[in-house]
Amino acid sequence: MALSFWFLGTQGASAHVKWFCAYDAAGQPRSLENVLCQDFELLLALALLWFFSGCMVERTSLGELAARSLNRFTDGLRLHTEEIIRAVCGFFFISLWAVGGILLTPELKTTSSMVGPLQLAIAAGLLSRRTMPFSAAGIVVLFGLAVRGYGTFHLADYPIFLGLAAYLALAGLQKDLFGVPPLDVVRYATAVTLMWASVEKWAYPEWSFPLLIEHPGMTLRLDSEFYMRAAGMIEFTLAFALAWTPLVRRVAAAILLGMFISACFEFGKLDVIGHSAIIVVLVAILSDNQPREADYRAPWLAPAGLCAALTVTLFAYYVGHAAIFNTSIL
């Protein structure tokens, strides 16, 4: 499963197109009837097959062997998950301050003189567990400024930052969120972030075409339209897998890590800074080798869950866009 997705998934599936190409978030997206084409149905069928197969393998002896193998590589990381997240988040906010004029991601620009000091204060607050909730509050403030400047729909790309804020606050206070551990909170936020971003690859594939022309090796000689549909399906499936059972989500995190890290080599320091937060969350998910029994689900639920998540995400994206920007759905 990992090898199949690795060969299909390339840097373009994880490079954030809004950081590198012109875009119009209020523009008319591809109609749903054009998105839900024959290729889309074929890709979905393949995704369901691989996802269901992975779930079937998970609780077999082969799945247990794979989990033990992952544990040997990640035990040290798991013991220091909180420190690693704090360190990388500190690097992220110091980098934003050093670059200047950015709220949370490269396309979210600002001219406010208060943002830089706030970013430094967030980084400083991560040095101590006692001040982590204040850093979390600072992230929420930056997110709110971004919503005010760019709108709710644009910031729907980035719920991971609210997940990180929740993680930092809960970890600092040593509390759960209604029984949900801090790492699970940011894991779900990451899954939603990537599922939403994958719809953008179907709704606005033309945004990425200049990127594919500059980096032709990414397409593996596939037609650009088909490549974008495949990239979106791979990203959506792996993102949904982050919210699924223990071994499945760890394997998905490993594949996504490979994709994001390879994209950093392709697209440079801007991609390193912009994706550092999501990369460290994926490392934490990969290292989480203490699953709860409630995490396990019957394998037959996997295809149903993936189809339901895809339906809800597509519906929310297109209906939300139509309501806000007065665009058509079909």
Side-chain angles (χ1 to χ4, degrees):
M1 176 181 178
L3 285 174
S4 299
F5 277 119
W6 177 261
F7 286 130
L8 284 174
T10 65
Q11 296 95 329
S14 50
H16 202 296
V17 67
K18 288 179 180 175
W19 302 350
F20 301 98
C21 298
Y23 68 92
D24 178 13
Q28 174 63 49
R30 293 278 179 94
S31 64
L32 267 180
E33 61 185 353
N34 288 327
V35 170
L36 303 176
C37 60
Q38 186 174 356
D39 286 346
F40 188 92
E41 295 168 0
L42 173 62
L43 290 166
L44 177 58
L46 289 172
L48 291 172
L49 173 63
W50 282 114
F51 190 46
F52 178 72
S53 300
C55 294
M56 288 291 291
V57 168
E58 179 167 9
R59 303 199 77 172
T60 66
S61 56
L62 180 59
E64 293 172 1
L65 175 62
R68 288 196 300 270
S69 299
L70 280 175
N71 292 346
R72 283 198 292 271
F73 287 102
T74 60
D75 271 341
L77 292 173
R78 181 185 62 79
L79 295 174
H80 302 285
T81 294
E82 182 186 318
E83 292 84 351
I84 294 171
I85 292 177
R86 288 162 61 183
V88 174
C89 287
F91 157 80
F92 174 74
F93 284 103
I94 290 173
S95 298
L96 293 184
W97 166 80
V99 173
I102 295 174
L103 285 168
L104 286 168
T105 59
E107 90 277 13
L108 301 176
K109 307 294 186 183
T110 182
T111 57
S112 172
S113 60
M114 298 302 297
V115 168
L118 177 57
Q119 289 165 341
L120 282 181
I122 291 171
L126 297 175
L127 294 173
S128 169
R129 180 175 283 173
R130 291 182 178 180
T131 53
M132 283 166 58
F134 297 106
S135 292
I139 295 173
V140 173
V141 169
L142 290 178
F143 193 90
L145 291 173
V147 170
R148 187 179 69 177
Y150 288 84
T152 303
F153 195 88
H154 192 131
L155 269 293
D157 280 4
Y158 303 115
I160 185 175
F161 290 109
L162 296 180
L164 270 174
Y167 173 87
L168 295 173
L170 293 169
L173 297 170
Q174 294 290 282
K175 294 184 179 295
D176 291 343
L177 182 64
F178 303 110
V180 180
L183 182 57
D184 285 351
V185 174
V186 72
R187 175 166 62 85
Y188 293 135
T190 303
V192 171
T193 297
L194 294 179
M195 286 192 289
W196 189 267
S198 66
V199 175
E200 202 168 77
K201 291 178 171 61
W202 302 322
Y204 298 101
E206 64 276 5
W207 291 355
S208 298
F209 290 163
L211 204 63
L212 300 181
I213 293 172
E214 291 177 19
H215 304 269
M218 293 193 313
T219 63
L220 303 176
R221 299 184 179 180
L222 296 172
D223 172 73
S224 296
E225 291 277 355
F226 178 80
Y227 171 82
M228 291 305 298
R229 287 193 288 272
M233 187 60 69
I234 291 166
E235 185 171 347
F236 190 94
T237 304
L238 293 173
F240 179 75
L242 294 179
W244 205 246
T245 48
L247 181 60
V248 167
R249 66 181 179 237
R250 294 178 73 187
V251 171
I255 300 170
L256 286 166
L257 266 174
M259 292 162 62
F260 278 108
I261 292 172
S262 64
C264 292
F265 289 105
E266 186 79 18
F267 296 100
K269 63 181 180 181
L270 182 66
D271 207 65
V272 174
I273 295 171
H275 280 143
S276 58
I278 197 168
I279 286 173
V280 76
V281 172
L282 291 172
V283 170
I285 296 170
L286 175 63
S287 306
D288 183 19
N289 60 7
Q290 293 184 322
R292 278 66 64 188
E293 185 62 29
D295 283 342
Y296 291 102
R297 303 174 183 90
W300 65 266
L301 289 173
L306 179 58
C307 288
L310 180 59
T311 302
V312 170
T313 308
L314 280 170
F315 179 85
Y317 191 100
Y318 273 85
V319 172
H321 199 280
I324 295 172
F325 300 113
N326 198 31
T327 52
S328 60
I329 297 175
L330 297 175

